[in-house]
């Protein structure tokens, strides 16, 4: 019974980490597409991606990968080579399937709203902190967003 619970827990963790990873991967993809179009850059460049990516997004992705690494080691220790391979296979397949469902061109409405609200919140934080240079820069990006086709996703 104990071994069965370990298998169920390990495979459930693989699915949960896949959902989390696919979501933040799709958010990064949306930031890349929005940032590239806001700058007017060519495909293959990052444009303003780093400027519009949510600050917590990078931390969430790092925690996801560190947790994955720890669970791979745990699966190998507790379940052996087959447990580790099963964890990695489910993690990979679920991430690819969920990621392909979440990624779109143009980015989905949810991600456009998330990026926009992140920019608005950061602009307000910079104003509150008295950092007028950064507030002006993010305000300019927000104004570009308002004039872009992505602004249509903010309505409704």
């Amino acid at each position: 019974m104990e071994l069965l619970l370990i298998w169920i827990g390990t495979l459930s963790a693989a699915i949960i980490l896949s959902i989390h990873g696919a979501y933040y991967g799709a958010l990064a993809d949306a930031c890349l597409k929005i940032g590239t179009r806001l700058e007017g850059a060519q495909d293959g460049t990052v444009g303003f991606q780093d400027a519009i990516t949510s600050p917590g997004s990078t931390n969430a992705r790092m925690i996801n990968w560190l947790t994955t690494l720890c669970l791979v080691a745990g699966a190998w220790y507790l379940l052996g080579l087959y447990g580790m391979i099963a964890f990695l296979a489910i993690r990979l397949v679920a991430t690819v399937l969920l990621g392909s469902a979440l990624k779109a061109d143009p980015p989905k409405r949810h991600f456009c709203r998330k990026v926009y609200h992140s920019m608005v919140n950061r602009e307000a934080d910079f104003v509150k902190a008295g950092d007028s240079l950064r507030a002006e820069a993010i305000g300019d990006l927000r104004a570009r967003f308002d004039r872009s086709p992505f602004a249509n996703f903010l309505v409704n």
Side-chain angles (χ1 to χ4, degrees), residues 23-118:
Y23 176 81
Y24 280 100
L27 178 61
D29 183 63
C31 288
L32 175 63
K33 288 175 182 168
I34 293 169
T36 302
R37 290 196 187 142
L38 289 182
E39 185 184 16
Q42 301 295 323
D43 286 339
T45 59
V46 294
F48 290 125
Q49 178 185 7
D50 292 337
I52 64 173
T53 300
S54 304
S57 178
T58 303
N59 293 338
R61 292 183 84 186
M62 290 298 294
I63 289 169
N64 184 290
W65 285 110
L66 288 174
T67 305
T68 297
L69 183 63
C70 290
L71 285 173
V72 164
W76 184 29
Y77 178 75
L78 294 171
L79 301 171
L81 184 63
Y82 293 123
M84 181 184 74
I85 290 171
F87 176 85
L88 288 173
I90 288 177
R91 173 79 166 88
L92 176 69
V93 169
T95 300
V96 169
L97 291 176
L98 293 168
S100 64
L102 290 174
K103 292 179 183 177
D105 194 17
K108 294 187 182 276
R109 175 185 315 243
H110 169 77
F111 295 118
C112 290
R113 288 180 176 177
K114 188 163 183 71
V115 167
Y116 185 78
H117 289 296
S118 173

Side-chain angles (χ1 to χ4, degrees), residues 12-25:
S12 298
I15 293 170
I16 291 167
L17 286 171
S18 296
I19 293 168
H20 184 266
Y23 176 81
Y24 280 100

